[in-house]
Amino acid sequence: MKSITELQYDDLCKVCDSILKSGSNSFERNANSFLNVVREHPIFLNIYKPVFFKSSLKFYIFLLASLFKTITIGVLKFLEAIYRVYFLGDILKKDQKKYKIIFITHFLNEKFINHKDDFYFYELPNKFNLNQQSSLNLYINFTHISSRSLVNKWSNKVCSKLLPKYLPIILELKIRTKLILEAINILRFRSKNTFEKRIKLYASLSSLFSGTFNNYRLAILVKEIVKNNRVENIFTTYEGHPWERLIFGFARRINPKILCVGYQHAIVFRKQHSIRRKLNNSFEPDYILCSGEHSFKQFQKINYLPDERLILFGSCRGENKLIKRLAVDSKKRNTFLLLPEGDLVECIPLVEFAISIAIRFKHLKFIIRFHPVTSTKKVFKQCPKLAQISNVEISKISLEDDFKRAQFAIYRGSTTIIKAVLNGLVPIYFSKSDEISIDPLFEFENKRFNFSKPDDVKKIEKTSHTELINNQKKLIQHVKQFFSPINYEKVLNLKKIK
């Protein structure tokens, strides 16, 4: 299927925003996973392709088929909820201890149990504890593990809980009722043309999607914790996902004085939309913590919040060490580190591209470093040649050691490329034809390579050693702005805006 163009993307964002604003006070409307256009990445855009590329008849057949599929998935999810709640005991239990500050973070795999500090907020929760302000880390569960099975197993210095996958069954039924009514409400939106009508119909159906239920459910879970504690501050990661704003909205229903803070922990992409788009004030953060100078300036440009409410918090990736020697300055320039994203939609094409180069140029070596959430079994199943090529290796060592043995890094949307550049590796963006670029280094196009076919490897041979070194030095200076060293003090003293 074709790729969505930049112009189409802009039109999509405009119409989705207009439908959102028509129900600006509605929690159900703001939970809609379809209407909240996160960013231009293919993983996020795949769902919107039928709006643009299906003929009238095929589009309506698609909606009908999707409705039956959604109902089927909904029934199965409800049965799973019954199983997890009543058989696994995967429920949210009240705690005797009261918490003033809660952090909403992510549990990507079992290794997270052993992290002494949170993967996203680092030592911040513990810093609050040391100030005699009790903190609680709430982890969104991206695994099949039951929250009950992790009780008292955390290595964190701060009290940590894995959020259950579902709510009590009565609440599950209430959510379903509300979102069915919301699907009907969206149909009342007056569409001006066929394009708007298609988005309206799809958005109505999306009210019943699992993603929308997950957004609403997660906010309810956090609301219950706010309700049962004297929570004064709530922190979430902040990327533009609907659940982030819903959490703020529901928390303020319980306590209008609660301080809501979003941490923009990654980077802000060129066409990233929902993180830049303002909603009703009740859904907006009091403060945004920025990971670096680059994103801080991005939010200043769009006047998202007053400057005093934008905090340059930094990132653990901001501890920039001086590199004694650039990787590309070595005598051997034949090793490429692949940095695929976690989703197979993005991972597989990048792996296939590396295989095609490895077969063609046997003197080159390729190291593939899979994302923690990637199923390597599924990758090998879809790319059987991967196990047969001698000059392709699957990394099993630390990221830092991988940086030391490679000179080039091939990537697409992975922000790990920032750290690779800071470690001296030359970035190579793998581009596909007729797509919106998802390059984190989009501002530095003339200082990195762009590959779309195996023969593009020859571009490296045609680039002089001096040019490579000069470009890399300039690029390192630029990307240092993406992630700044952490400044805890600014956050520990935040006060509610009056």
Side-chain angles (χ1 to χ4, degrees), residues 470-486:
N470 289 338
N471 280 343
Q472 193 65 8
K473 286 180 179 178
K474 291 177 183 177
L475 189 55
I476 287 172
Q477 291 304 312
H478 284 305
V479 300
K480 281 181 179 178
Q481 298 180 33
F482 281 105
F483 300 114
S484 302
I486 295 177

Side-chain angles (χ1 to χ4, degrees), residues 366-383:
F366 296 85
I367 303 166
I368 302 177
R369 183 171 191 85
F370 288 114
H371 190 280
V373 301
T374 302
S375 169
T376 53
K377 289 183 179 179
K378 290 181 180 178
V379 175
F380 276 96
K381 186 176 181 180
Q382 293 191 46
C383 305

Side-chain angles (χ1 to χ4, degrees), residues 97 124-136 157-159:
K97 187 177 179 180
L124 185 59
N126 189 51
K127 295 279 185 183
F128 276 110
N129 270 350
L130 293 175
N131 282 359
Q132 297 183 338
Q133 299 182 67
S134 54
S135 297
L136 171 66
K157 302 170 188 174
V158 175
C159 184

Side-chain angles (χ1 to χ4, degrees), residues 138-153:
L138 294 175
Y139 285 86
I140 303 171
N141 191 357
F142 289 92
T143 71
H144 296 294
I145 298 173
S146 167
S147 58
R148 183 181 180 183
S149 65
L150 293 191
V151 176
N152 300 324
K153 291 186 179 180

Side-chain angles (χ1 to χ4, degrees), residues 124 127-128 131 133 233 487-494:
L124 185 59
K127 295 279 185 183
F128 276 110
N131 282 359
Q133 299 182 67
N233 297 2
N487 186 334
Y488 289 110
E489 294 306 314
K490 284 186 176 181
V491 183
L492 293 172
N493 298 313
L494 291 181

